[in-house]
Amino acid sequence: MTLDNFQAFCLSLPDVTEEFPFGPDTLVYKVKGKMFALAGIDTFESINLKCDPEEALELRERYQAVVPGYHMNKKHWNTVHLDHSIGDTMLRDWIKRSYDLVRASLPKKDR
């Protein structure tokens, strides 16, 4: 997945904003103000995605490229290294799951 593909996919989801709250090097995607994905834009070597805690552990055990979220709550976030061991289709699915998880946690009026 390229940075352009990542950006385009995240922005294709409803009510998503692209922001830089941690400085110009970290791209953050939010739904209704809540973060669901972020990545460094200088090297674009990994992405952080929110994940159900049980699924997060399963993915870490199954895929070497998936580790606890870097600079994030390790229980709820995974870092996915973009080493080409995980295909774009699966990455898009994980991004969508992250988005859906965050959206489901929003107050009913914001969903």
Side-chain angles (χ1 to χ4, degrees), residues 2 7 10 12 19-20 39 46 49 57 67 71 73 75 77 81 83 85 90 94 96 101 103:
T2 66
Q7 288 177 287
C10 289
S12 74
E19 302 177 19
F20 291 89
S46 65
L49 300 171
L57 293 174
V67 298
H71 284 293
N73 180 318
K75 183 177 179 180
W77 287 84
H81 293 284
D83 62 1
S85 66
M90 187 170 293
W94 291 351
K96 179 69 166 67
L101 185 66
R103 189 171 185 105

Side-chain angles (χ1 to χ4, degrees), residues 27-89:
L27 181 60
V28 175
Y29 288 96
K30 295 180 179 182
V31 55
K32 296 288 188 170
K34 294 222 172 212
M35 224 174 10
F36 72 91
L38 62 143
I41 58 170
D42 285 340
T43 58
F44 193 62
E45 295 174 341
S46 65
I47 56 176
N48 283 7
L49 300 171
K50 189 136 189 190
C51 196
D52 171 79
E54 288 182 24
E55 184 181 10
L57 293 174
E58 289 174 24
L59 293 175
R60 293 173 199 165
E61 289 175 10
R62 185 181 229 178
Y63 300 98
Q64 189 173 357
V66 180
V67 298
Y70 180 70
H71 284 293
M72 305 298 283
N73 180 318
K74 309 293 186 230
K75 183 177 179 180
H76 297 278
W77 287 84
N78 278 339
T79 295
V80 182
H81 293 284
L82 302 174
D83 62 1
H84 303 291
S85 66
I86 298 170
D88 287 1
T89 301

Side-chain angles (χ1 to χ4, degrees), residues 1 4-13 92 95-96:
M1 177 171 281
D4 288 341
N5 295 139
F6 173 69
Q7 288 177 287
F9 183 73
C10 289
L11 289 172
S12 74
L13 301 170
R92 283 190 296 274
I95 293 166
K96 179 69 166 67

